[in-house]
């Protein structure tokens, strides 16, 4: 009897060990929580190749941008490690790094330096999206450069020249106004909160505006000066020429309106450039051109507002090596050349070798804009949307006041002054030097 019990126990142990072994194999799963930007489709289309090559399964959960900050920050700080890696918007980098929720990748980057080939990343993207203070908080996932997209066919039809200045830009918007055909000169995101800040700050940046007066000496808000007033007044004055409901437009609404033939111009990131040409439902393919953000005068320097996303590892991940393997594959030069060519929902280039590839440049002319922005130092990630930990608070304040000012709910200068005062209070409380 004892011998029988012993045999049964041995069999049970063997089965249990087999179960553990199978379970261990099943655990080669990486969970990725990300904003639902176009690059998600590109990753999903290439994942079978990665999974077949490595045996690592990747599960992607994508969520709307406006829901993502709170959700991702919670996942990084709740200690559960439910997600192994996350996307991090440039303006969240300081806050997320300060939270301690992101794994410092310095040792992994140094260990795999030859394979990673950091020198081949777009330099501005590496500096802005990977490095924060003395840490490497992620790898560049989606470097975004903002510029104007315009309907070449409409410009030709109306005899319009590409606008270089604010005044020329405003005239072009008005010239294309045709509400009887449901066509408008411009589409923008003006919804209260992050959406209106994204677009307002892009034009403000193009006009030469800065969020703060003199970093790092003076963090007083500069938004209520002459450039801030002129930028806000431009939108308020143009409101009658924009699509109805534009005060509730989020980021995706503005690019969808342009892609579906409702507008003559839109300022969006390079993530949307190929989408306009290759998406199945695009009505503008073959009729899209590009130019830099308008300036106050032709003598002013051009600027390309810079933003985008990193991909970082949750410090509580239980699958760090598999996650790192996925990240290296995703951001490699080989994958980069593939994912920028995925139809409909492509990725954006992260590598110098991609934006310098003659065949790709011919296919995607906007690659030249990205390369020139990097070489000439035109990409501005400092004066567009800050990486400071306080940015989320600033964006909430500014997003409310801008929406009220543009809608006519509040006097423009009053709204900007109130926003500046609140921002100054935030910065003072956080210990930054504030002269005002």
């Amino acid at each position: 009897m004892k011998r029988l019990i012993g045999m049964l126990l041995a069999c049970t142990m063997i089965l249990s060990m087999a179960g553990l072994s199978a379970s261990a194999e099943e655990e080669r799963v990486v969970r990725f929580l990300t904003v639902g930007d176009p690059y998600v489709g590109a990753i999903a289309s290439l994942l079978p190749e990665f999974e077949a090559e490595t045996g690592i399964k990747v599960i992607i959960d994508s969520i709307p941008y406006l829901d993502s900050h709170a959700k991702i920050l919670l996942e990084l700080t709740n200690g559960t490690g439910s997600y192994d890696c996350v996307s991090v918007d440039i303006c969240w980098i300081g806050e997320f790094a300060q939270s301690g929720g992101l794994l410092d990748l310095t040792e992994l980057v140094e260990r795999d330096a030859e394979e990673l080939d950091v020198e081949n990343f777009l330099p501005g993207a590496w500096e802005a999206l990977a490095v924060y203070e003395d840490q490497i908080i992620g790898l560049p996932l989606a470097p975004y450069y903002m510029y104007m997209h315009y309907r070449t066919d409409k410009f030709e039809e109306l005899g319009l020249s590409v606008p270089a200045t604010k005044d020329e830009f405003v005239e072009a918007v008005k010239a294309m106004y045709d509400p009887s055909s449901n066509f408008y000169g411009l589409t923008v995101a003006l919804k209260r909160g992050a959406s209106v800040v994204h677009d307002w700050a892009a034009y403000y940046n193009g006009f030469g505006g800065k969020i703060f007066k003199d970093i790092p000496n003076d963090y007083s808000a500069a938004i209520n000066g002459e450039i801030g007033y002129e930028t806000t007044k431009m939108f308020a004055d143009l409101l009658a020429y924009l699509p109805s409901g534009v005060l509730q437009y989020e980021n995706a609404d503005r690019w969808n309106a342009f892609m579906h033939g409702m507008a003559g111009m839109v300022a969006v990131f390079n993530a949307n450039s190929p989408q306009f040409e290759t998406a199945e439902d695009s009505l503008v393919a073959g009729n899209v051109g590009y130019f830099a953000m308008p300036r106050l005068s032709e003598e002013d320097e051009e600027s390309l507002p810079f933003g985008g996303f990193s991909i970082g590892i949750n410090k509580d991940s239980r699958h760090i090596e598999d996650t790192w393997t996925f990240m290296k594959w995703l951001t490699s030069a080989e994958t980069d050349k593939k994912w920028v060519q995925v139809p409909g929902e492509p990725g954006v280039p992260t590598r110098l070798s991609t934006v310098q590839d003659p065949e790709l440049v011919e296919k995607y002319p906007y690659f030249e804009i990205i390369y020139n922005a990097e070489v000439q130092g035109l990409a501005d990630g400092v004066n567009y949307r800050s990486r400071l930990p306080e940015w989320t608070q600033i964006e909430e304040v500014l997003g409310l006041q801008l929406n009220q000012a543009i809608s006519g709910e509040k006097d423009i200068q009053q709204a900007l002054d109130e926003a500046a005062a609140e921002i100054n209070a935030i910065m003072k409380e956080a210990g930054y030097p504030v002269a005002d």
Side-chain angles (χ1 to χ4, degrees):
M1 183 60 138
K2 289 183 179 179
R3 185 180 176 190
L4 178 60
I5 292 172
M7 290 175 64
L8 289 172
L9 286 171
C11 289
T12 302
M13 289 179 64
I14 290 169
L15 289 171
S16 297
M17 290 176 67
L20 285 171
S21 176
S23 175
E25 288 184 11
E26 289 171 5
E27 286 177 359
R28 294 207 74 187
V29 174
V30 169
R31 289 176 170 82
F32 178 28
L33 179 62
T34 178
V35 172
D37 267 26
Y39 63 74
V40 173
I43 298 173
S45 71
L46 297 176
L47 270 182
E49 173 186 316
F50 170 76
E51 292 172 352
E53 196 175 292
T54 64
I56 301 169
K57 181 177 177 59
V58 178
I59 297 173
I60 302 175
D61 284 344
S62 62
I63 52 179
Y65 180 83
L66 294 182
D67 300 332
S68 56
H69 171 268
K71 170 76 171 170
I72 293 172
L73 183 58
L74 177 63
E75 290 296 335
L76 290 176
T77 56
N78 64 13
T80 63
S82 302
Y83 289 94
D84 301 292
C85 52
V86 298
S87 64
V88 182
D89 194 358
I90 187 172
C91 57
W92 307 336
I93 285 176
E95 181 184 10
F96 286 10
Q98 198 174 73
S99 77
L102 291 169
L103 183 71
D104 184 355
L105 304 179
T106 302
E107 290 186 9
L108 292 171
V109 169
E110 290 175 351
R111 185 193 74 187
D112 298 338
E114 185 175 348
E115 179 185 2
L116 200 59
D117 191 13
V118 169
E119 296 300 317
N120 188 29
F121 278 107
L122 294 165
W126 179 261
E127 182 181 351
L129 297 175
V131 180
Y132 183 76
E133 295 182 346
D134 60 348
Q135 300 180 62
I136 298 176
I137 56 87
L139 298 181
L141 171 65
Y144 287 169
Y145 305 78
M146 186 176 283
Y147 44 88
M148 299 301 307
H149 296 63
Y150 74 101
R151 287 283 298 276
T152 54
D153 54 333
K154 290 293 183 180
F155 269 61
E156 184 178 349
E157 177 186 322
L158 297 170
L160 298 174
S161 299
V162 172
T165 66
K166 169 181 167 288
D167 290 343
E168 293 169 356
F169 175 76
V170 168
E171 288 305 311
V173 173
K174 293 179 178 179
M176 287 185 282
Y177 178 65
D178 184 9
S180 63
S181 301
N182 196 31
F183 190 83
Y184 304 86
L186 177 69
T187 177
V188 289
L190 298 180
K191 184 175 181 177
R192 185 172 297 184
S195 297
V196 67
V197 175
H198 286 193
D199 274 18
W200 179 90
Y203 289 90
Y204 175 68
N205 180 266
F207 296 154
K210 299 179 179 180
I211 301 296
F212 303 106
K213 287 186 176 178
D214 183 24
I215 295 174
N217 305 308
D218 182 10
Y219 283 84
S220 300
I223 57 165
N224 58 332
E226 183 180 353
I227 298 176
Y229 179 85
E230 288 299 322
T231 306
T232 312
K233 189 174 186 303
M234 179 187 76
F235 283 119
D237 291 346
L238 284 176
L239 194 58
Y241 296 89
L242 305 181
S244 60
V246 74
L247 286 167
Q248 295 303 316
Y249 270 26
E250 298 179 12
N251 294 351
D253 296 315
R254 72 188 186 324
W255 81 58
N256 275 315
F258 181 83
M259 185 168 70
H260 296 142
M262 284 178 57
M265 293 185 289
V266 65
V268 287
F269 290 117
N270 53 297
N272 299 114
S273 302
Q275 197 174 18
F276 295 150
E277 298 293 346
T278 63
E280 289 184 3
D281 58 339
S282 176
L283 301 179
V284 298
N287 292 309
V288 181
Y290 321 103
F291 62 93
M293 301 299 298
R295 314 183 294 281
L296 286 181
S297 70
E298 290 193 27
E299 292 73 35
D300 293 334
E301 287 187 2
E302 290 183 356
S303 176
L304 268 73
F306 178 82
F309 292 90
S310 314
I311 180 170
I313 297 180
N314 185 341
K315 76 176 190 315
D316 294 312
S317 168
R318 295 181 294 276
H319 314 102
I320 288 174
E321 282 296 338
D322 281 352
T323 304
W324 180 238
T325 297
F326 165 61
M327 288 168 56
K328 286 187 295 181
W329 167 82
L330 180 59
T331 62
S332 69
E334 182 181 357
T335 301
D336 201 46
K337 288 187 178 182
K338 291 179 180 178
W339 88 326
V340 298
Q341 300 183 74
V342 173
E345 294 183 309
V348 297
T350 64
R351 297 283 184 164
L352 283 167
S353 54
T354 300
V355 297
Q356 290 178 288
D357 184 293
E359 290 184 11
L360 292 176
V361 172
E362 184 177 354
K363 190 174 182 180
Y364 307 109
Y366 65 91
F367 279 14
E368 190 172 352
I369 296 176
I370 295 172
Y371 179 73
N372 289 339
E374 287 283 0
V375 170
Q376 298 171 25
L378 299 177
D380 190 347
V382 175
N383 296 307
Y384 174 44
R385 293 160 66 230
S386 171
R387 300 196 307 170
L388 295 174
E390 295 72 26
W391 178 255
T392 304
Q393 298 175 67
I394 292 169
E395 194 168 59
E396 184 177 345
V397 168
L398 188 55
L400 170 62
Q401 297 288 356
L402 287 175
N403 180 273
Q404 291 179 330
I406 293 168
S407 67
E409 186 178 338
K410 187 177 285 189
D411 175 76
I412 292 173
Q413 193 61 58
Q414 177 192 351
L416 293 175
D417 287 343
E418 289 180 8
E422 289 189 64
I423 292 168
N424 289 345
I426 290 169
M427 300 311 286
K428 283 180 182 177
E429 186 177 347
Y432 295 90
V434 178
D436 288 352

